[in-house]
Amino acid sequence: MPGGIEGSETLSSDVDLISYSYTMFNNFSRPDAVIRPSNPDEVSSILKTLSEERKKVFIRGSGTSFVGCPAEGGVLIETRRMNEILEVDEEDLTATVESGVQIGHLLKKLPSDIFFPIDPDGLSLSTFGGIIAEDSASPLSLAYGTAGNTLLGLEVVLPDGSLMELGSTTIGARGIESLFIGTEGSLGVITKVKIRLYRRPERLLLYEIDVPHVEDAIEMYSLADISGIPLLGFEFYYRDMFELGGKEVNMGSRVHMLVKSPPKEEVIHEKIKSIAEIEGALKIDVEEYNPMLLPRWRGREYLIEGLKSTGRTVSFISFTVPRDSIFEAISRVDAIGSRMKLETVTMVNPSMNWILTGFTYNFADEKEMKRAERALKMAINQLSEIQAIFGFGTGTGTNMAGLKLRSLDNRELFEKVKKCIDPNFVMNPIFTSKEE
Ligand SMILES: Cc1cc2nc3c(=O)[nH]c(=O)nc-3n(C[C@H](O)[C@H](O)[C@H](O)COP(=O)(O)OP(=O)(O)OC[C@H]3O[C@@H](n4cnc5c(N)ncnc54)[C@H](O)[C@@H]3O)c2cc1C
């Protein structure tokens, strides 16, 4: 066993293993051991040994995803001790960090006019290894793309212990490092990443627009998208978010548009106003938004505040559907909520066709908790019928799961690559037909 790898910590007590058995989403699966290496050489020795022993290996950054610890009966390699910011190049706008660095750690070290836009959990807890391995998205992905779009190079340890430094010297040129984007720890342990940084916008406007129906919010995005409005983000919150605790609201959805202030602000304002009016807006508010708050923006706070005010918790599902099925998806979740007598919360990012929805329950009420679990299963079944792809990410994120569903050729090619790189099928083996 790799407990003897010098420098790396190995945890195997009951208390430690239980604390590594959950992700932020309460998924439970208990590893046999947790190893916490502090540098790539340790990762290399660990992987080589585990691969030779044909032991299942799972990787974990911060565990903020659904897929961060499916480590039942395997060894979990946790990357958080590899947490050094190696270089920030303020001129070229790049940063090189070890893979266990959390987004918030880098954000704090950057000068105020530079930032990194992808903060998927909204709490800046995700690691750089995790966001690349999942090709994570965030509300600002509309303007900046997903985590994979920010990647310039990476260092990875393969299951045979070999250490590869991959990347292009030309900024913007995609190289073979892209192979690891979205592979969810199934090909190797990413130990270092070089990512692109961005200039912080100087002035931002936040539009808050209430519309009568969900369809109006979806349509508003389509119109805004083609009208030349310099959008940084667009999300809408279904009325259920504001109805928590039995409150009554008179709108169908609340739209949040974050706009980079252009030189002719008045022209853009008129455009947004007229689009909102076409969609029958009930309210149009606009305020300046402090750019220093980026990459966070206010929308997600509704969710957190709503849950706090009712003292309830929520079982989430995250999925993408084709744009023309967004309304159908929300209606199906709504109907399940009514049937199961559970309040729901739903937010939608139409630029990525992505929906986060969930059923709320009282943690102390076991019956209600069971009902929420049943509701979630029903939702997954019903949403599968309209081509939902589940998992946190972009729909291209949670990649392997997505690829599996999308195309047999994609899957076949991935399996061939996997066979070459990981012939003993030890790394995150849930993604291989051999183990399924
Ligand atoms: C409230 C909330 C909201 C969220 N919203 C979004 C959202 O809008 N969009 C979105 O995309 N995600 C979202 N997420 C999910 C999550 O934040 C991201 O998936 C995140 O990128 C995972 O980072 P992590 O460090 O926690 O990785 P983990 O959860 O620990 O791991 C994620 C996956 O990456 C692999 N992995 C981790 N590190 C490495 C490494 N060094 N090398 C190789 N593989 C590795 C793991 O094996 C696992 O398969 C949200 C999460 C929360 C809690």
Side-chain angles (χ1 to χ4, degrees), residues 135-351:
D135 196 11
S136 300
S138 84
L140 300 183
S141 288
L142 172 57
Y144 298 96
T146 59
N149 295 105
T150 71
L151 184 70
L152 298 169
L154 55 77
E155 179 187 82
V156 63
V157 179
L158 302 183
D160 65 0
S162 53
L163 185 79
M164 305 256 162
E165 181 112 28
L166 307 171
S168 159
T169 44
T170 320
I171 290 196
R174 271 278 169 101
I176 199 159
E177 70 280 3
S178 315
L179 178 65
F180 292 88
I181 298 173
T183 45
E184 295 185 351
S186 55
L187 296 179
V189 180
I190 299 166
T191 45
K192 188 166 88 181
V193 301
K194 181 172 180 182
I195 38 103
R196 189 191 296 269
L197 301 171
Y198 297 82
R199 290 266 168 234
R200 200 180 283 278
E202 281 172 14
R203 186 173 141 82
L204 295 172
L205 298 173
L206 179 66
Y207 281 80
E208 183 171 285
I209 302 168
D210 288 353
V211 289
H213 308 288
V214 171
E215 298 97 310
D216 303 321
I218 301 169
E219 184 63 20
M220 190 182 292
Y221 170 69
S222 302
L223 292 176
D225 188 36
I226 54 170
S227 65
I229 296 168
L231 283 177
L232 273 199
F234 187 114
E235 284 191 344
F236 71 84
Y237 313 98
Y238 182 47
R239 59 154 207 270
D240 59 6
M241 201 99 95
F242 309 95
E243 287 173 333
L244 282 177
K247 289 193 202 95
E248 292 221 352
V249 295
N250 69 346
M251 42 100 163
S253 291
R254 174 163 291 171
V255 171
H256 267 192
M257 283 164 81
L258 192 61
V259 177
K260 203 155 95 177
S261 179
K264 289 185 182 159
E265 208 169 283
E266 249 336 281
V267 177
I268 292 298
H269 179 69
E270 284 310 312
K271 260 191 197 171
I272 294 176
K273 227 174 98 191
S274 81
I275 290 172
E277 279 163 5
I278 293 172
E279 300 307 329
L282 306 166
K283 173 190 103 161
I284 309 173
D285 285 344
V286 55
E287 64 180 68
E288 241 189 84
Y289 188 78
N290 180 358
M292 288 310 292
L293 297 176
L294 291 181
R296 296 189 199 173
W297 64 319
R298 219 177 44 196
R300 305 226 166 160
E301 284 163 25
Y302 284 134
L303 184 61
I304 294 161
E305 279 161 19
L307 291 174
K308 256 195 206 154
S309 71
T310 55
R312 292 167 78 77
T313 186
V314 62
S315 284
F316 277 123
I317 35 173
S318 161
F319 57 96
T320 54
V321 280
R323 174 94 37 91
D324 57 8
S325 298
I326 291 179
F327 174 62
E328 176 66 24
I330 294 175
S331 307
R332 288 185 181 207
V333 171
D334 227 5
I336 295 169
S338 307
R339 202 174 130 200
M340 303 298 279
K341 298 192 171 39
L342 294 167
E343 287 189 310
T344 56
V345 282
T346 310
M347 55 187 276
V348 182
N349 189 319
S351 69

Side-chain angles (χ1 to χ4, degrees), residues 24-25 58-65 67-68 79 99 120-121 125-127 129-131 133-138 184-185 188-191 300 354 392-394 428:
M24 274 176 87
F25 292 96
F58 299 89
I59 310 163
R60 175 177 166 124
S62 289
T64 65
S65 68
V67 289
T79 61
S99 62
D121 56 76
L125 296 174
S126 297
T127 62
I131 65 166
E134 283 220 66
D135 196 11
S136 300
S138 84
E184 295 185 351
V189 180
I190 299 166
T191 45
R300 305 226 166 160
W354 173 75
F392 258 123
T394 56
N428 204 351

Side-chain angles (χ1 to χ4, degrees), residues 5 56 83 133 170 219 228-229 280 325 344-345 377 384 400 402 427:
I5 306 289
K56 285 192 274 180
N83 63 359
T170 320
E219 184 63 20
I229 296 168
S325 298
T344 56
V345 282
K377 282 187 188 143
S384 301
M400 291 306 122
M427 301 217 54

Side-chain angles (χ1 to χ4, degrees), residues 65-105:
S65 68
F66 283 117
V67 289
C69 77
E72 194 71 48
V75 173
L76 193 64
I77 298 181
E78 201 240 43
T79 61
R80 290 291 315 288
R81 285 179 74 214
M82 295 189 282
N83 63 359
E84 243 185 86
I85 296 170
L86 302 168
E87 194 194 4
V88 172
D89 187 328
E90 295 177 27
E91 250 171 52
D92 274 357
L93 291 178
T94 63
T96 305
V97 298
E98 289 188 315
S99 62
V101 169
Q102 290 178 306
I103 309 287
H105 181 34

